[in-house]
Amino acid sequence: MLTEPLPKTLDVRKAAARGVSIQGILKPLDLQRFGELLASPDGVVEVVLEFSRDEDNRYLVQVAFEADVGVICQRCLEAMPARVAGSNTVAVVWTDEEARHLPKHLDPVISEEACDLWELVEDELILALPPFSYHSDEDCNTILAGLSRTDPVEVVGSDKPNPFDVLAQLKPGKK
């Protein structure tokens, strides 16, 4: 398991020219947008970034990550553990025009000389999160059974006048 924190920024040109590979960890607390999608700030994100250049002299970053985090089950609304993993290759460009001319298999990252690695990883994590998370049926049924009421709920009558009584007076035959 990795223990070193991932650096916040890095000069992509220099890293790609040298073929640098960086490994590190992040905490969901470090990633504000990703952290807002989680049930708790606990967890750890392991990241491997490999910088290179392709045959067309583009600056590429191979991003691979694994995260053990807590998300909300959409069925019972309780926290549950989730593993998020993925990889992607992105091309670092400096203008929108350069981004438009990239091949379809490369996602652009528009950056200045120092690329924000945390933001790059955060974007990949957000895209890798499943849109809906669910416990297994047995787990949710156990949780939901504990939440169900066994006592009948009494409906307390209201002394407020019904606003639709005025409409009933307008019906033909009622005056």
Side-chain angles (χ1 to χ4, degrees):
M1 183 172 142
L2 301 172
T3 58
E4 293 293 317
L6 186 72
K8 177 100 169 108
T9 60
L10 184 71
D11 186 339
V12 176
R13 291 179 188 181
K14 289 179 183 176
R18 295 182 183 142
V20 172
S21 178
I22 297 175
Q23 299 180 3
I25 61 168
L26 289 170
K27 297 187 186 288
L29 280 175
D30 298 332
L31 309 171
Q32 182 180 1
R33 292 178 297 135
F34 180 65
E36 291 173 357
L37 302 173
L38 303 177
S40 72
D42 301 330
V44 66
V45 180
E46 296 181 12
V47 182
V48 177
L49 301 171
E50 296 178 1
F51 298 86
S52 62
R53 295 182 80 168
D54 67 0
E55 62 277 349
D56 292 326
N57 242 6
R58 290 185 285 256
Y59 298 98
L60 303 179
V61 181
Q62 174 70 35
V63 182
F65 56 88
E66 290 182 358
D68 290 313
V69 294
V71 295
I72 298 290
C73 172
Q74 297 299 306
R75 186 179 299 128
C76 66
L77 300 179
E78 294 289 326
M80 63 176 275
R83 182 150 186 91
V84 180
S87 65
N88 192 17
T89 301
V90 297
V92 180
V93 294
W94 285 262
T95 65
D96 286 333
E97 188 63 31
E98 288 176 313
R100 276 188 227 112
H101 293 296
L102 285 175
K104 297 289 181 199
H105 71 278
L106 290 174
D107 292 328
V109 173
I110 299 174
S111 177
E112 296 179 9
E113 294 213 10
C115 181
D116 187 338
L117 300 180
W118 289 13
E119 186 176 315
L120 173 62
V121 171
E122 182 175 34
D123 290 342
E124 294 297 324
L125 283 165
I126 291 170
L127 291 171
L129 266 178
F132 306 103
S133 300
Y134 298 105
H135 284 112
S136 65
D137 284 340
E138 299 84 32
D139 292 340
C140 273
N141 289 338
T142 303
I143 293 169
L144 292 174
L147 295 176
S148 67
R149 289 189 172 204
T150 56
D151 300 331
V153 177
E154 291 184 33
V155 178
V156 178
S158 175
D159 294 336
K160 293 181 183 177
N162 185 347
F164 297 106
D165 287 342
V166 174
L167 294 175
Q169 294 172 4
L170 297 175
K171 282 177 111 178
K174 287 216 170 190
K175 289 197 177 184

